[in-house]
Each structure stands twice: as structure tokens, then as C-alpha cells.
Amino acid sequence: SSGINAEWPLRSKMVDNYGLDITYEVKPITEFTQFLDIQYKFVGGRLTTDLFRKPTDANRYLEFSSFHPRHTFRSIVFSQALRYRRIINDDVLLDERLAELQLFFERSSYPTDMVREVISDVRSIPRTLQYKAKDQGPPSFTPWIVTFGAGYEETKEKAKEASNIISNSRTWSSENPERIPKLQVVTRRAPNLKDTLFKRKKLALGSESRTTDPCTKPGEKKKGRPCQTCHLVSGNSMVSNNGHSVRTQGGNCKTRNIVYGATCKLCTVNNVYVGKTVTSLSQRVNGHRSKYYEILEASSKGNVESHRDFDDENVLGAHLFSVHNLRERSVFNESFHFDILCSTSPDNIRKSEQFYINKLKTLYPFGLNNVNSVSGS
């Protein structure tokens, strides 16, 4: 293409050192110059801006036959038309581009009347380059969150009926209409590409906290029974057994699909057990605690053999009973702390558990695990 060679020191340096040549193309200011998604030029000293589209742009949008709420399609048309309105500063050119946009949407099976109506609404909006500040206050309605699907339209009608019943009730009928609570159906957003990418990034880089934290924050009060595991998580970033160490992963008592480590605080060596659970950490710890209580109850009845059944669930209780000769129910919470070693999927959880058993060397007699997770021996 035609252009001028810029005799800059940078060009001379590249030519001399790398054998490269750089050519810069300079267009007259009366012709459009592209910058990102904008192209601009000056005509009679006046700036004219237009939307720039790559020649390879297919100009296709979400098909109208796709299974989405109707307002999703209106929002797509509105956002694209508003983008045109912000970028193009000439009204005649804007009308041409909006007519093209309408054809693009009709090509994706959008109803002509709907597209024309939305574009007309956008066309009447004054052009502004400033973003509107979002209202940071509480919503003026009570959201009724549903998953879009069968019954969605019926749910919207029920929400309207419920709002009318509330507004006509004895409690609210005399109130200011703005103060009367209103129900509004809100669809739960499905995961998008951004969610997927950030989730993959988080799994790849790990959690920022790297520690297992209580599910109940200090000073926080929750309804129901308090969590019995919150005071058993260590908050450490490492788990070690006989000189072998691994980093922990962030999570709390309610985290599911995990491989965890239980460390006996009464032992100085060979004191780590690696376990797995598809339920929450707190549920798994409750299971270990219950098995210890069962061993104590069986022992009180003279069934001294039960504590020797060292399966995956009662190995911690059996360790307290047989190795440390403890018989009090309260000692379980005083003897162990727990950490999440990794989050995984149910399909890979056995392999993940075996990985940490090998990594920390926790198989008996060097740890508290009695069997391999994969082989069972």
C-alpha cells in the first residue's frame, strides 16, 4: 500500500539491528481513520464519527428461536442500538446504520415490529457519552428468583396477583404506594463465558486465602444449632507429616467435594489422616465424631472388638481409643484439627485422595490411613 517511510531513530535502529523496515500509512483527515470500533474524519472542520466493523464481521446475533426470556432479546437490540447512538454523531448517518442493524436482527429471526419499536425508542434518546450512575440503594421490589423455563409466565402472573393482594390488604391499603412491597419475578442468570473463564483461573491458581476458615465469622450469630466444626479448622496454610508438606486450599466447613487432612494434636509424628467427602467438611467431621461415640458406647457394653474395625469412618475415633487410651466424649474436639487439601469432582475424588496419601506418606505406620484410597489395601 502507499505510504511514507518515517525516518525516525527507532526505524533506523530496527533496520540496523534486525533488518526490519517499517512503513506508516497516513490518510487525509477527510477520510475515515479506524480506532478500535470507531472510525472518524473531519469534514469542513467538523468531526464525524461512525461505527467501524471488520469486513469479516458476520453481523449475527443470538437467534430469536433460542430458549431465553423475551426481555433478553429486547435487551440485545437495545444495547446494540444504544451503542450506535453513542458512537455516531451525525443523525443522517445514524439512520442509515440503524436501518442496517434492523436488517441484521431480522436475519437472526427477530420480529420486525419488535426491532423497529426498540430502535425507535433508542433513536429518541438524547446522545450522551457519559455512563449513567447506577442506583446503589436497595431495590424497590422484592425479587422472586426463578429459573427460566416451563411455568415462567404463570409465575409472573402469580407475582402480580400476590402484589395486588398485599397492596389491598388491611395492613398496606392506607400506606403510600411507594412504600408498599412489590414482588417482581427475576430469572436466575445462567453461567456465561466470563464465569467459566474465571472459575478455570481460580482452579488453576488456587484460592487467595489458602486457608480453611470457619463458616461462621467471629461475632456472627446464625439460626439453628451452631456449627461444631468451626473451632476445629486450623487456619494453617500448610499440612505436614514427618517432613512432607502440602499447601492447603481455601474453603470453609460447608465446602463440598473435597480431600481433607485431619491432624492429631496429641501425636508429634505419624499424626495425619487424609480423607475425602462429597458432602461438606462439617458433615464429614460429624461422622468421624459419631463413630468415636459409637466406639465408646460399644466399649461400655463390653464389645471391645468394635474399636479394632479400622475402616475409613472410625479410624480417628479408633486412634484416640486404642493409641491414646481416651474414653471421654469431649476429647475428640480437643484432639484434632482439620484442613481442606483440595477441591475436586466426585469422579476424581478417590484419585485425589490417593495423591495426598502418597504426597504426605500417611499410610500406616507413617500416618493414620489404614488403606489406600484407590486399591483399598
Side-chain angles (χ1 to χ4, degrees):
S1 59
S2 62
I4 60 173
N5 289 331
E7 299 295 340
W8 291 349
L10 174 64
R11 175 181 179 276
S12 300
K13 184 177 180 180
M14 286 190 171
V15 169
D16 296 339
N17 295 347
Y18 305 104
L20 300 178
D21 195 5
I22 301 176
T23 300
Y24 297 92
E25 182 180 359
V26 178
K27 292 183 177 181
I29 61 173
T30 55
E31 296 182 12
F32 276 118
T33 300
Q34 294 81 35
F35 178 74
L36 300 179
D37 62 343
I38 300 175
Q39 54 183 352
Y40 62 92
K41 65 180 179 180
F42 288 88
V43 178
R46 180 177 179 272
L47 175 67
T48 300
T49 57
D50 190 10
L51 181 75
F52 173 70
R53 292 191 301 266
K54 292 182 179 180
T56 56
D57 189 352
N59 298 305
R60 300 291 294 187
Y61 299 94
L62 178 70
E63 284 289 334
F64 194 78
S65 59
S66 180
F67 191 61
H68 288 79
R70 187 174 178 83
H71 67 260
T72 300
F73 302 102
R74 294 183 65 90
S75 298
I76 294 174
V77 178
F78 182 86
S79 62
Q80 288 299 311
L82 186 62
R83 175 168 168 254
Y84 281 48
R85 186 75 176 100
R86 289 170 58 88
I87 291 177
I88 304 171
N89 65 348
D90 182 81
D91 288 342
V92 176
L93 185 58
L94 174 63
D95 291 335
E96 295 179 10
R97 295 291 181 258
L98 290 177
E100 294 174 358
L101 182 65
Q102 179 176 332
L103 292 177
F104 297 153
F105 279 113
E106 291 175 355
R107 191 186 305 164
S108 295
S109 305
Y110 283 64
T112 302
D113 292 341
M114 185 195 78
V115 176
R116 187 182 295 120
E117 177 188 349
V118 175
I119 289 180
S120 176
D121 291 342
V122 174
R123 185 66 179 82
S124 63
I125 298 176
R127 180 173 181 265
T128 176
L129 300 181
Q130 287 77 28
Y131 285 101
K132 293 177 62 177
K134 292 186 177 180
D135 184 10
Q136 300 298 324
S140 58
F141 59 87
T142 301
W144 185 340
I145 303 174
V146 299
T147 300
F148 180 72
Y152 172 72
E153 294 298 332
E154 291 80 357
T155 304
K156 289 176 64 176
E157 293 300 322
K158 292 297 180 183
K160 291 180 181 178
E161 293 178 12
S163 295
N164 290 334
I165 293 173
I166 293 173
S167 61
N168 295 324
S169 66
R170 218 169 11 172
T171 304
W172 295 100
S173 58
S174 60
E175 290 288 340
N176 186 333
E178 295 182 357
R179 296 190 62 236
I180 299 176
K182 296 180 179 62
L183 290 176
Q184 181 170 323
V185 176
V186 179
T187 53
R188 185 181 290 106
R189 181 177 64 81
N192 56 22
L193 180 61
K194 178 182 176 182
D195 297 332
T196 303
L197 293 176
F198 271 84
K199 184 176 181 181
R200 295 291 182 269
K201 178 180 178 182
K202 185 175 181 180
L203 289 175
L205 300 180
S207 170
E208 295 181 359
S209 66
R210 294 282 187 183
T211 60
T212 307
D213 302 317
C215 64
T216 305
K217 298 178 181 179
E220 181 182 5
K221 293 184 180 180
K222 290 186 176 180
K223 295 181 180 180
R225 296 180 59 187
C227 176
Q228 298 297 311
T229 305
C230 283
H231 63 285
L232 300 184
V233 296
S234 72
N236 297 330
S237 60
M238 302 282 290
V239 172
S240 301
N241 183 58
N242 300 334
H244 305 282
S245 300
V246 296
R247 288 187 178 275
T248 60
Q249 180 175 307
N252 60 35
C253 315
K254 303 304 181 185
T255 306
R256 299 171 179 267
N257 297 317
I258 58 171
V259 175
Y260 62 93
T263 304
C264 177
K265 297 188 286 186
L266 306 178
C267 300
T268 56
V269 294
N270 308 330
N271 62 337
V272 175
Y273 166 81
V274 173
K276 65 182 181 301
T277 179
V278 295
T279 62
S280 66
L281 175 63
S282 60
Q283 287 178 282
R284 187 58 169 157
V285 172
N286 291 342
H288 283 301
R289 189 187 294 108
S290 296
K291 286 295 182 180
Y292 174 59
Y293 294 165
E294 289 180 12
I295 292 174
L296 295 182
E297 184 178 354
S299 176
S300 66
K301 296 178 180 179
N303 186 7
V304 295
E305 299 297 327
S306 63
H307 73 273
R308 300 186 184 277
D309 182 14
F310 282 17
D311 63 18
D312 192 50
E313 280 192 307
N314 66 15
V315 64
L316 298 184
H319 175 75
L320 295 179
F321 186 91
S322 61
V323 176
H324 297 292
N325 199 31
L326 297 174
R327 301 292 185 269
E328 295 80 20
R329 292 167 65 94
S330 62
V331 297
F332 183 90
N333 290 345
E334 301 168 359
S335 303
F336 294 103
H337 62 71
F338 295 83
D339 299 279
I340 295 175
L341 301 180
C342 79
S343 295
T344 183
S345 67
D347 292 338
N348 295 323
I349 196 166
R350 295 181 70 87
K351 293 181 180 179
S352 299
E353 181 189 31
Q354 187 64 54
F355 171 82
Y356 283 97
I357 290 176
N358 297 338
K359 188 81 171 177
L360 290 170
K361 311 293 184 187
T362 61
L363 198 61
Y364 181 83
F366 305 108
L368 303 185
N369 286 87
N370 286 298
V371 295
N372 283 303
S373 179
V374 175
S375 65
S377 61

